[in-house]
Amino acid sequence: CETCSEEEAKYRCPRCMKYSCSLLCVKKHKLALSCNGVRDKTAFVSVNEFTDLNLLSDYRFLEDVGRTADAAARHPTVHSPATKKLLYCLRNKARRCNIDLRTLPIGFTKRRENSTTFNCMEKKFYWHLKLIFPHCHAEYTLKGVPDDKTLADILKPYIDPVESDPVVCQRLKIYTVSPQSDVQILMKIENRKQNSIRYNELDASRSLLDNLKGKVIIEYPTLFVVLKTLKNDMVVLGQ
């Protein structure tokens, strides 16, 4: 058992492939690693390891995607003129700012939870934003983030040793005790092959809008906050 290291392992997590001996250890490993125990159907599998089971799994996954897309296309909200006009306006405003904003069908999770708006009076985006801290297995969702706010100011309530919330600061302790120069903000580059994932490095001193210019955004930005001194598998474009 990889949790207690005492008993013989009986179970293996479909998600992270960790071995466990009992229900208690299964719950402990899920809590420690923020693991939901659900197998990742889109995980990359090399050709050498590809089996008939993987092929069957992919076939069923595509069937599920087809059913979801079909159900989303039939949803009455999709055909609402007001909804179409709102999304068209949002994409058009983003295009004028040199941002390729793409939206998903109504049935997808990111479409449902996206709260991004554009204020015509202020001529400013208020973004739905997700922050992921991989070294602590933590993620936070922010709503109504103005596009002229710098990334450094956005991160202050989370990793600043003075201004951050005490509870959040304790959870993200590895970030708060590290020098600010070690903090690196990355954003995944969309429309790349699954086995060739790359990230753009963002400038913390610049505004959110400046960092998003020239990039493809699917629904809303997701930022990964990592430390340069710690090993991670995220490859920055150009490395």
Side-chain angles (χ1 to χ4, degrees):
C1 176
E2 295 184 50
T3 303
C4 66
S5 303
E6 294 178 0
E7 301 293 333
E8 183 182 353
K10 299 178 182 177
Y11 312 105
R12 192 175 190 184
C13 178
R15 182 78 179 188
C16 61
M17 311 306 283
K18 295 286 185 183
Y19 286 101
S20 302
C21 65
S22 62
L23 181 60
L24 180 62
C25 284
V26 169
K27 290 181 177 179
K28 282 182 179 179
H29 114 263
K30 285 184 178 181
L31 189 63
L33 301 177
S34 299
C35 176
N36 58 12
V38 179
R39 184 175 63 84
D40 184 6
K41 296 179 181 179
T42 61
F44 175 73
V45 180
S46 65
V47 176
N48 296 333
E49 298 174 351
F50 203 84
T51 63
D52 290 342
L53 287 176
N54 296 117
L55 180 63
L56 182 61
S57 175
D58 286 354
Y59 179 76
R60 288 174 177 170
F61 174 70
L62 291 174
E63 282 190 323
D64 291 340
V65 171
R67 281 193 292 269
T68 304
D70 183 61
R74 296 170 186 269
H75 199 283
T77 314
V78 176
H79 306 288
S80 167
T83 302
K84 290 182 178 180
K85 185 178 179 181
L86 181 65
L87 292 178
Y88 174 79
C89 178
L90 206 61
R91 291 194 295 263
N92 192 40
K93 296 293 183 183
R95 194 179 301 114
R96 291 181 181 180
C97 296
N98 193 25
I99 300 173
D100 187 357
L101 178 63
R102 304 182 185 184
T103 54
L104 299 170
I106 198 71
F108 286 78
T109 304
K110 291 189 76 172
R111 172 90 291 271
R112 289 199 306 267
E113 64 187 16
N114 189 7
S115 60
T116 300
T117 58
F118 183 82
N119 190 310
C120 294
M121 296 291 290
E122 300 178 7
K123 295 182 179 179
K124 184 190 296 184
F125 273 98
Y126 285 87
W127 289 96
H128 183 105
L129 189 64
K130 182 172 285 187
L131 299 177
I132 298 180
F133 299 85
H135 303 308
C136 295
H137 305 286
E139 64 178 57
Y140 300 91
T141 299
L142 289 70
K143 295 183 179 181
V145 181
D147 61 13
D148 57 355
K149 196 171 185 180
T150 64
L151 298 187
D153 289 336
I154 293 173
L155 291 178
K156 270 185 180 179
Y158 298 91
I159 61 175
D160 190 276
V162 179
E163 299 185 26
S164 61
D165 179 87
V167 177
V168 176
C169 180
Q170 185 62 31
R171 186 178 185 187
L172 303 178
K173 191 174 181 180
I174 192 172
Y175 289 91
T176 55
V177 299
S178 299
Q180 292 298 309
S181 57
D182 285 345
V183 176
Q184 192 177 30
I185 307 171
L186 306 177
M187 187 169 73
K188 183 181 175 184
I189 302 174
E190 303 294 347
N191 299 330
R192 289 184 66 93
K193 294 180 179 180
Q194 185 67 23
N195 61 343
S196 180
I197 296 175
R198 295 293 183 271
Y199 294 83
N200 277 316
E201 183 174 3
L202 307 184
D203 188 348
S205 63
R206 301 180 68 184
S207 68
L208 179 60
L209 180 63
D210 288 340
N211 277 290
L212 296 182
K213 285 182 178 179
K215 297 178 177 66
V216 177
I217 307 295
I218 297 180
E219 289 293 348
Y220 56 81
T222 299
L223 308 184
F224 295 84
V225 185
V226 300
L227 296 174
K228 298 176 184 177
T229 53
L230 296 181
K231 184 181 178 182
N232 62 76
D233 55 356
M234 296 180 180
V235 182
V236 178
L237 188 69
Q239 288 184 343

